[in-house]
Amino acid sequence: MAYLVTGVAGFIGAAVARQLLDRGEQVVGIDNLNDYYAVQLKHDRLATLAGANFTFTAVDIADQAALTAALAPHRITHIVHLAAQAGVRYSLTNPHAYVQSNVVGQVNLLEYARSCDGLVSMSYASSSSVYGGNTKLPFAEDDRVDAPVSLYAATKKSDELMGHVYAHLYRVPLTGLRFFTVYGPWSRPDMATWLFTDAILKGKPIRVFNNGDMSRDFTFIDDIVSGVIAVTDSPPADDGSRPPHRVYNIGNNKPERLLHMIDVLEDAIGIKAVRSLEPMQPGDVPATYADISAIQRDHGFAPTTPIEVGIPRFVDWFKSYHGIA
């Protein structure tokens, strides 16, 4: 019995794997270790997972033959599929990377899942970006999500549709998770908390889009991990009345103004930022806010980390990781 974690060298993947290892599970991790951002950070995350219960293979999920060969020696019972090409803005200039990783890769994992003898469940990463330009807040799972404003969002909605098909045709128990602005230690260098912290410490201006008139449902990594593991351990039942496929929002359920987040970050660092106010970027949205009542009801998900706690924890990690006193 083993948990497969795809994208295991990534921000959320490594954190999920760490929690599973801490409770004594066998974890099989795969990642293609691409250079979308510093590969050394990915290796450093993997180093925190090393041990007898962890097996890692470098493989691209878009390569079906290589993926099948890499997983052949293992008896996988749970799949946590987090590998993806992330980032809204990068999709504007590198669309093929998103199709390969997020669409072809999703099909390959679904095909693998339906071939697994004894599979208990598969959870996979979707995104709050599927809500596109929706103005109704908070975003709820039954809102329409057929008007994406980025290719990244379109690929994530495609993942949900493909999940429904595989649950319907092959009864694969599947759960999709629409993540809302995850942050915390070991995060990606293209994320706002990292970019802002790095710039402030170097005395450089921070780019504040939409002139700061933005809000995000910032969700701390530890809260996210608890939700990911909860839905993976308790897949949707197959009672024959509908496909065993559920999609949940997973967020903090408390949107924060971007300018307030910057205030909290400045306090944690002890330095005031030089703020460069800029227009909205293509593919971005002014606000995200998760209605999490469904995942609360079905899985007891209850985020507990406000940004006043989570941001200082991120700053402490950032300084330690970079050797900053």
Side-chain angles (χ1 to χ4, degrees):
M1 174 176 173
Y3 285 72
L4 169 64
V5 179
T6 74
V8 74
F11 173 32
I12 302 175
V16 168
R18 179 72 271 160
Q19 183 62 39
L20 290 170
L21 291 168
D22 286 347
R23 76 177 198 184
E25 307 291 353
Q26 293 284 333
V27 176
V28 175
I30 61 174
D31 199 294
N32 69 352
L33 298 173
N34 69 25
D35 62 358
Y36 170 61
Y37 59 84
V39 178
Q40 185 59 52
L41 177 60
K42 300 180 182 184
H43 284 292
D44 291 341
R45 293 191 191 113
L46 288 174
T48 69
L49 305 176
N53 285 354
F54 180 64
T55 303
F56 173 72
T57 303
V59 65
D60 187 343
I61 60 169
D63 185 336
Q64 185 179 21
L67 177 67
T68 301
L71 297 178
H74 305 287
R75 180 175 176 267
I76 301 298
T77 54
H78 299 75
I79 299 172
V80 185
H81 175 37
L82 300 170
Q85 179 56 60
V88 169
R89 295 180 191 120
Y90 189 68
S91 70
L92 301 176
T93 55
N94 295 274
H96 293 96
Y98 290 77
V99 174
Q100 285 298 306
S101 184
N102 301 1
V103 179
V104 176
Q106 176 83 341
V107 172
N108 288 345
L109 260 296
L110 289 168
E111 278 293 294
Y112 174 76
R114 81 179 182 100
S115 73
C116 279
D117 184 23
L119 182 73
V120 174
S121 74
M122 173 176 164
S123 57
Y124 64 90
S126 185
S127 169
S128 62
S129 67
V130 300
Y131 291 106
N134 287 12
T135 56
K136 169 191 160 291
L137 295 173
F139 297 149
E141 291 89 346
D142 58 359
D143 293 342
R144 293 189 64 171
V145 288
D146 54 4
V149 296
S150 70
L151 181 65
Y152 171 67
T155 63
K156 286 303 183 180
K157 179 54 184 174
S158 297
D159 289 347
E160 295 179 5
L161 293 172
M162 289 186 287
H164 180 86
V165 169
Y166 273 72
H168 170 72
L169 291 177
Y170 309 116
R171 317 312 291 183
V172 178
L174 290 157
T175 304
L177 291 169
R178 293 173 176 171
F179 293 116
F180 280 71
T181 315
V182 188
Y183 75 100
W186 294 103
S187 65
R188 299 197 318 263
D190 65 332
M191 302 176 82
T193 48
W194 182 301
L195 291 169
F196 289 175
T197 300
D198 185 54
I200 292 169
L201 287 169
K202 292 176 179 176
K204 297 180 178 180
I206 62 172
R207 303 179 68 191
V208 184
F209 295 116
N210 203 33
N211 297 306
D213 187 17
M214 302 182 76
S215 61
R216 289 290 181 269
D217 205 358
F218 293 103
T219 315
F220 193 65
I221 183 63
D222 293 1
D223 293 328
I224 286 288
V225 169
S226 69
V228 171
I229 293 177
V231 303
T232 305
D233 286 344
S234 300
D238 187 359
D239 60 7
S241 63
R242 60 172 176 164
H245 178 229
R246 303 291 181 271
V247 174
Y248 295 108
N249 290 336
I250 181 167
N252 200 40
N253 192 228
K254 186 180 183 297
E256 300 283 358
R257 302 283 296 176
L258 177 60
L259 295 179
H260 175 60
M261 186 277 279
I262 296 171
D263 290 340
V264 174
L265 189 61
E266 290 172 337
D267 289 342
I269 297 172
I271 302 172
K272 287 294 183 182
V274 178
R275 306 184 187 195
S276 174
L277 301 182
E278 302 186 15
M280 179 74 87
Q281 293 292 287
D284 217 340
V285 297
T288 64
Y289 178 8
D291 177 346
I292 59 171
S293 55
I295 195 171
Q296 284 178 320
R297 179 194 65 230
D298 295 347
H299 297 281
F301 176 71
T304 61
T305 313
I307 62 170
E308 289 78 10
V309 174
I311 292 291
R313 287 179 61 181
F314 166 75
V315 171
D316 288 345
W317 170 83
F318 187 92
K319 288 181 175 180
S320 175
Y321 182 72
H322 292 93
I324 300 170

